[in-house]
Amino acid sequence: MTPEYSRREFLGTASGLTAGAVIAPGLAAQAAAPAVHVRKSSTNVAVASGNGLRAVAKAGELMAQGVDTLDAAIEGVKIQELDPNDPSVGYGGLPNENGVVQLDASCMHGPTKRAGAVGALEGIKTPSVVAKYVLLYTDHIFLVGEGAKKFALSYGFKEEDLLTDSSRQRWLRWRANRSESDDWINVDEDEQMVPRPTGTINCNVVNANGDISSVTTTSGLSWKIPGRVGDSPIIGAGQYTDNDVGAAGSTGRGESNIKVCGAFLTVEFMRRGLKPADAAVETLRRVVATSEPRLLDEHGRPRFSLNFYAVNKNGEFGAGSVYPSRYAAFDGSEALRLDTAYLYERDA
Ligand code: ASP
């Protein structure tokens, strides 16, 4: 199943920065140098968003047993999809403005150069697996809405109510409080509107042979307009794999990621020689540069969060964020929670 892949030497102009470092100005100039990669390490590595500690541990364990990289990554993120207590993914995810959970997911398999995705999928707990079925069984890449659901049902996926009591209560409270001038009576007049909850899981893996895969799955922006699709199911935004270079993926404000094709761009920066964390931060610089003024504060800093997670073919990994954040990684021996590299300190 796994075709030959080219072994190349990593000769880039890596900046030398490691995860956790704030990136230095002037990196953009270094990013122009071309680089090719030779795989030196022979470890299984996984990198994921901060909610992915169990995912990276599972992916690492499965790759050690020889399980394919995409299957390992998907089995990892499925833990969050099936967890009713993760309000940002799969079952128990926060719904759209009508109270309906609509899920987005995408994946790529490096060795076979294939991709699959689903958007605005209702009633199926594991959209990452449906995305894999699109990848495996169709000549298409992206199915949405009713068509994506019918496709899943045809393979025996069960239709279920994805709202938990807790996610329904949070939605009802949001609906009641959202406006003074609608017909819904506020639940609690004193209650402050909390920032809109977000979340997603992205997982990127490389195995001991240097084969690479990536997956991202989410319930998207809570209270979104029905039909809104974020970055997660968009190949090149929510995640991207190139088996010669590495993989990257994202969580956070999807609209800002889509405009820069951030996962693709991060892989391209790695191709040119940047280390994973530096590539992620370089992509975030592009995000800031392409942000409309209403999304920036008086110092030009984003009013939103966005993170990128990346691994290269050598098994080097890292993550970047707008503001300090955490991510999860399996480094070949253990699952760890680590600090991201970031663009700006948060105000005290
Ligand atoms: N990226 C997701 C989206 O825009 C949301 C998130 O990660 O918080 O749908």
Side-chain angles (χ1 to χ4, degrees), residues 48 75 84 115 131 169 218 224 229 265 314-315 325:
E75 285 306 311
Q169 288 309 322
T218 189
K224 60 195 172 187
V229 165
L265 187 60
N314 260 345
S325 182

Side-chain angles (χ1 to χ4, degrees), residues 6-123:
S6 49
R7 288 169 178 262
R8 296 169 160 195
E9 183 126 28
F10 201 121
L11 296 171
T13 53
S15 70
L17 292 181
T18 53
V22 181
I23 203 151
L27 193 61
Q30 299 179 20
V36 280
H37 301 220
V38 165
R39 182 163 167 79
K40 300 184 207 107
S41 93
S42 57
T43 23
N44 301 305
V45 168
V47 60
S49 40
N51 55 353
L53 200 60
R54 292 181 296 175
V56 294
K58 184 75 184 177
E61 177 195 319
L62 291 174
M63 286 189 285
Q65 294 164 16
V67 170
D68 173 83
T69 48
L70 183 58
D71 292 331
I74 287 179
E75 285 306 311
V77 300
K78 254 172 72 183
I79 298 171
Q80 291 316 110
E81 288 182 328
L82 296 172
D83 181 349
N85 297 317
D86 186 329
S88 69
V89 180
Y91 178 50
L94 291 173
N96 65 20
E97 76 179 15
N98 291 346
V100 177
V101 181
Q102 290 190 320
L103 303 176
D104 297 337
S106 65
C107 59
M108 284 184 84
H109 185 237
T112 55
K113 308 177 197 286
R114 292 172 81 166
V118 289
L121 174 66
E122 296 176 14

Side-chain angles (χ1 to χ4, degrees), residues 252-274:
R253 192 186 139 77
E255 283 72 7
S256 295
N257 178 18
I258 292 169
K259 286 197 300 184
V260 303
C261 306
F264 176 79
L265 187 60
T266 302
V267 171
E268 287 308 296
F269 282 136
M270 290 195 289
R271 187 193 307 280
R272 295 183 207 170
L274 293 192

Side-chain angles (χ1 to χ4, degrees), residues 204-273:
N204 313 294
V205 303
V206 55
N207 72 9
N209 296 326
D211 282 331
I212 307 168
S213 287
S214 54
V215 60
T216 298
T217 174
T218 189
S219 51
L221 205 56
S222 52
W223 334 135
K224 60 195 172 187
I225 297 172
R228 178 265 189 187
V229 165
D231 58 328
S232 308
I234 296 179
I235 307 297
Q239 54 73 47
Y240 192 76
T241 291
D242 182 323
N243 215 49
D244 287 342
V245 178
S250 181
T251 63
R253 192 186 139 77
E255 283 72 7
S256 295
N257 178 18
I258 292 169
K259 286 197 300 184
V260 303
C261 306
F264 176 79
L265 187 60
T266 302
V267 171
E268 287 308 296
F269 282 136
M270 290 195 289
R271 187 193 307 280
R272 295 183 207 170

Side-chain angles (χ1 to χ4, degrees), residues 114-192:
R114 292 172 81 166
V118 289
L121 174 66
E122 296 176 14
I124 310 288
K125 281 181 172 171
T126 54
S128 67
V129 186
V130 185
K132 186 177 89 175
Y133 277 41
V134 175
L135 173 155
L136 280 177
Y137 300 125
T138 79
D139 189 36
H140 303 323
I141 285 185
F142 197 178
L143 299 181
V144 302
E146 209 39 42
K149 177 152 79 176
K150 289 203 170 116
F151 170 81
L153 295 177
S154 76
Y155 284 96
F157 286 80
K158 261 203 350 235
E159 186 169 359
E160 294 172 86
D161 183 0
L162 302 185
L163 273 184
T164 55
D165 283 348
S166 152
S167 55
R168 185 187 306 280
Q169 288 309 322
R170 287 177 74 174
W171 169 68
L172 287 172
R173 197 167 333 127
W174 168 80
R175 186 176 68 175
N177 279 294
R178 85 197 259 212
S179 165
E180 292 288 305
S181 57
D182 65 18
D183 293 330
W184 303 103
I185 296 170
N186 289 5
V187 177
D188 179 350
E189 303 267 337
D190 297 329
E191 199 166 342
Q192 293 276 312

